[in-house]
């Protein structure tokens, strides 16, 4: 899938968001309909540092930043099951979980197929 625009957002600070996959589009639709979600975005600017497979510092850009009506915040990542098993992905997930833990935020992976 080529990148496409998800338009007419109600809970994003932007009037559209860019989707990288049909799975992300599905998630955006769910976030828009979820009564517990106050706001969400993919265009958040977060860059989480981690060490890649060769030990070099790289940056992980999580898929979604979500704020719930009760004040909780969460990073949510959409991944195909085949990618979750990759070493580099495991390092990103570990870094994302730790980054969120330190900030009192949730971290959730949604695995597709």
């Amino acid at each position: 899938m080529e990148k496409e625009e998800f338009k007419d957002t109600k809970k994003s600070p932007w009037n559209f968001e860019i989707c990288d996959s049909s799975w992300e589009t599905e998630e955006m639709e769910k976030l828009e309909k979820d009564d517990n979600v106050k706001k969400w975005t993919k265009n958040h600017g977060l860059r989480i540092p981690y060490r890649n497979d060769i030990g070099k510092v790289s940056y992980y850009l999580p898929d979604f930043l979500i704020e719930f009506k009760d004040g909780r915040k969460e990073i949510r990542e959409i991944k195909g099951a085949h990618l979750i098993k990759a070493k580099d992905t495991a390092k990103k997930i570990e870094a994302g979980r730790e980054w969120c833990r330190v900030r009192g935020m949730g971290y959730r992976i949604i695995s597709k197929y």
Side-chain angles (χ1 to χ4, degrees):
M1 169 183 172
E2 288 186 30
K3 292 183 184 214
E4 61 182 46
E5 292 181 359
F6 183 84
K7 296 182 179 183
D8 300 321
T9 61
K10 306 292 185 263
K11 296 181 182 181
S12 166
W14 310 101
N15 59 354
F16 70 92
E17 295 272 353
I18 300 296
C19 309
D20 295 324
S21 70
S22 61
W23 298 339
E24 287 185 1
T25 303
E26 288 174 24
E27 190 63 23
M28 291 176 182
E29 290 168 351
K30 288 178 187 176
L31 291 167
E32 284 289 313
K33 292 176 185 172
D34 188 334
D35 290 336
N36 295 312
V37 172
K38 180 178 177 181
K39 55 187 174 180
W40 66 270
T41 186
K42 274 188 58 75
N43 190 20
H44 44 65
L46 296 177
R47 294 173 27 129
I48 299 173
Y50 74 101
R51 292 214 176 263
N52 64 20
D53 285 343
I54 59 171
K56 190 173 181 184
V57 174
S58 291
Y59 293 91
Y60 158 48
L61 286 62
D63 290 329
F64 295 97
L65 175 60
I66 302 163
E67 183 177 336
F68 296 93
K69 289 182 178 176
D70 65 6
R72 291 178 298 120
K73 292 183 181 176
E74 176 180 278
I75 285 180
R76 192 171 292 176
E77 184 69 25
I78 310 297
K79 281 282 181 234
H82 65 291
L83 294 174
I84 286 182
K85 297 172 185 171
K87 270 195 253 180
D88 198 51
T89 301
K91 290 174 185 275
K92 291 176 184 178
I93 290 170
E94 181 182 334
R97 284 190 174 134
E98 179 61 15
W99 191 91
C100 287
R101 184 193 67 74
V102 167
R103 289 159 180 80
M105 296 171 60
Y107 184 86
R108 183 173 172 203
I109 299 275
I110 297 178
S111 180
K112 296 285 189 169
Y113 316 104

